[in-house]
Amino acid sequence: MKNKFLNIVLIAIIVMTWTACQQDGATTTKPKPSKSGQQTAPSKPKVNYPKFDETSAYNHIQKQVDFGPRVPGTPEHKMCADWLKEEMSLTADKVIVQEAKLTVFDGKQVPMYNVISSYNPSSKNRIMLSAHWDTRPFADQDADESKADQPIQGANDGASGVGVLIALGESLKANPLKNIGVDIVFWDVEDYGKGEAETYCLGSQHWSNNKHNPSYRAKYGILLDMVGAKNAIFKQEGYSVHYAPQVVKKVWEAGHKAGYSGFFPFAKVDPITDDHKFLNEMGDIPTIDIIQYDRKSFPNSNGFFPHWHTHEDNMDKIDKRTLKAVGQTLLTVLYDEDAN
Ligand code: AHN
Ligand code: ZN
């Protein structure tokens, strides 16, 4: 009899403790209502991020590839330049084409068209997003040597960054920025190099020494290069970390926050000469490069994606999931910046 009574008391204690714990848990997870009956305000204002349209990015990559190779000095190059200006005029407040004649590695003179599009042009607090739009005149990495002197399609190397930024421009048009300004720049004559690294990136070098507006300033820049391949991984490139470590941190954290930690691991790789090197060293804009580059993972293609500078750099290699990860990360950076 005595034992049964003790058992009942014990069970009662256990049940009471369990309910108390449940209630305690409930009160800590739900925010307490304030006196006015509303929930307490969160410490940071809620940011509305537009949804990046990766299908638009993909279609704008296809459109560029459909022109044929965009090699400086060819009719296809000029046609694509005109189209880029038209396309950006649909979303930007202002589009300027900076023109010049440049001398490439073999002494040939080619026309250069840098396409510069501004959103919220009156803002003094600006961010520059950029990518090269020209394509390489030769497939010097192709296994078939008989076709190594033919120009490449450049779906990933060229068109991918431009496609992402055209779609991003559409988001900016539909969801206007309130505070910051953005400039989307498409660099020309990036991939007409051979030998010395300085023979590459001639369009961005030209702009860095001859700005379209001498008083142009940007707080920082983000360059995109080869951002469309399936299963791409973007590690933190050496010049980016050296010249703009805070921007690297900001962009990689935004990638994680947007849900794309797999694309943006917190891992460093060697430096690679790309447009951002000249924007940092000659253009005075702290700029990072989002680029698929890793010598350890891709020792057979100089650290780039396996179809780099071959005739296999075509639409089959482009994956909307990669475009989405990059575009949504950029939108997270921009709309956070606009809110703070
Ligand atoms: C060099 O090959 C020195 N830099 C790579 C820049 C590049 C080429 N980006 C795309 N294609
Ligand atoms: Zn290239």
Side-chain angles (χ1 to χ4, degrees):
M1 217 30 158
K2 214 177 178 185
N3 243 330
K4 203 175 182 185
F5 177 75
L6 265 175
N7 273 343
I8 289 165
V9 169
L10 247 164
I11 288 163
I13 289 168
I14 289 165
V15 168
M16 278 159 73
T17 321
W18 183 76
T19 1
C21 283
Q22 288 299 100
Q23 282 169 352
D24 202 40
T27 51
T28 49
T29 48
K30 261 193 203 154
K32 279 191 190 116
S34 72
K35 274 177 195 156
S36 62
Q38 291 168 324
Q39 292 196 343
T40 45
S43 54
K44 275 186 187 164
K46 201 170 162 357
V47 179
N48 277 316
Y49 305 103
K51 280 206 182 0
F52 183 77
D53 184 351
E54 67 274 25
T55 297
S56 172
Y58 184 92
N59 291 341
H60 286 100
I61 296 168
Q62 178 81 65
K63 173 80 186 178
Q64 292 170 77
V65 171
D66 287 346
F67 280 106
R70 284 81 68 208
V71 175
T74 64
E76 293 79 11
H77 178 253
K78 179 66 168 71
M79 283 195 290
C80 187
D82 292 343
W83 172 76
L84 287 172
K85 187 188 179 187
E86 288 300 307
E87 194 63 30
M88 295 312 281
S89 302
L90 300 175
T91 61
D93 297 302
K94 194 171 184 207
V95 183
I96 293 171
V97 179
Q98 182 185 46
E99 298 191 26
K101 282 257 182 293
L102 303 180
T103 306
V104 296
F105 76 94
D106 59 359
K108 195 181 168 201
Q109 291 236 67
V110 298
M112 174 211 84
Y113 308 102
N114 287 332
V115 183
I116 305 165
S117 309
S118 299
Y119 299 77
N120 203 6
S122 60
S123 173
K124 292 270 164 286
N125 187 7
R126 310 199 67 74
I127 295 168
M128 176 194 272
L129 307 177
S130 67
H132 81 89
W133 71 270
D134 64 304
T135 53
R136 190 158 181 79
F138 20 78
D140 43 336
Q141 301 295 321
D142 205 287
D144 183 350
E145 280 180 34
S146 72
K147 289 194 208 144
D149 59 347
Q150 301 292 307
I152 65 165
Q153 295 184 46
N156 197 26
D157 189 358
S160 68
V162 172
V164 166
L165 293 178
I166 291 173
L168 190 129
E170 293 171 343
S171 291
L172 296 181
K173 166 90 171 172
N175 307 270
L177 296 162
K178 293 179 180 67
N179 300 302
I180 65 166
V182 169
D183 303 291
I184 294 181
V185 184
F186 299 144
W187 305 116
D188 199 0
V189 204
E190 188 271 351
D191 227 348
Y192 213 129
K194 199 171 218 175
E196 297 291 305
E198 291 71 28
T199 62
Y200 290 81
C201 309
L202 299 189
S204 58
Q205 293 193 56
H206 177 82
W207 181 86
S208 295
N209 293 318
N210 311 272
K211 292 187 180 167
H212 65 293
N213 170 358
S215 60
Y216 179 80
R217 296 280 178 279
K219 196 161 84 165
Y220 60 87
I222 303 171
L223 174 71
L224 308 183
D225 195 2
M226 298 179 268
V227 291
K230 190 178 179 185
N231 297 325
I233 290 180
F234 304 106
K235 296 189 178 172
Q236 302 175 337
E237 178 273 339
Y239 289 123
S240 308
V241 173
H242 178 77
Y243 287 115
Q246 297 309 315
V247 182
V248 171
K249 183 170 186 285
K250 193 193 288 266
V251 172
W252 260 251
E253 283 177 356
H256 283 238
K257 183 164 140 181
Y260 301 102
S261 54
F263 287 89
F264 292 96
F266 292 112
K268 291 182 173 55
V269 288
D270 291 340
I272 180 72
T273 298
D274 206 348
D275 292 311
H276 70 313
K277 180 172 195 273
F278 303 102
L279 297 170
N280 278 300
E281 294 179 356
M282 312 191 315
D284 204 26
I285 303 189
T287 304
I288 69 155
D289 194 5
I290 300 180
I291 182 169
Q292 186 184 2
Y293 177 67
D294 185 355
R295 286 189 176 279
K296 289 202 181 76
S297 301
F298 302 104
N300 301 325
S301 50
N302 281 13
F304 301 104
F305 77 115
H307 312 286
W308 180 68
H309 292 180
T310 74
H311 295 296
E312 301 304 308
D313 180 2
N314 57 33
M315 287 308 289
D316 299 347
K317 310 305 176 306
I318 302 297
D319 190 318
K320 286 186 190 177
R321 285 171 290 191
T322 306
L323 304 173
K324 172 77 174 177
V326 173
Q328 197 62 55
T329 296
L330 291 179
L331 286 174
T332 304
V333 171
L334 295 182
Y335 285 83
D336 271 344
E337 200 82 55
D338 200 46
N340 293 317

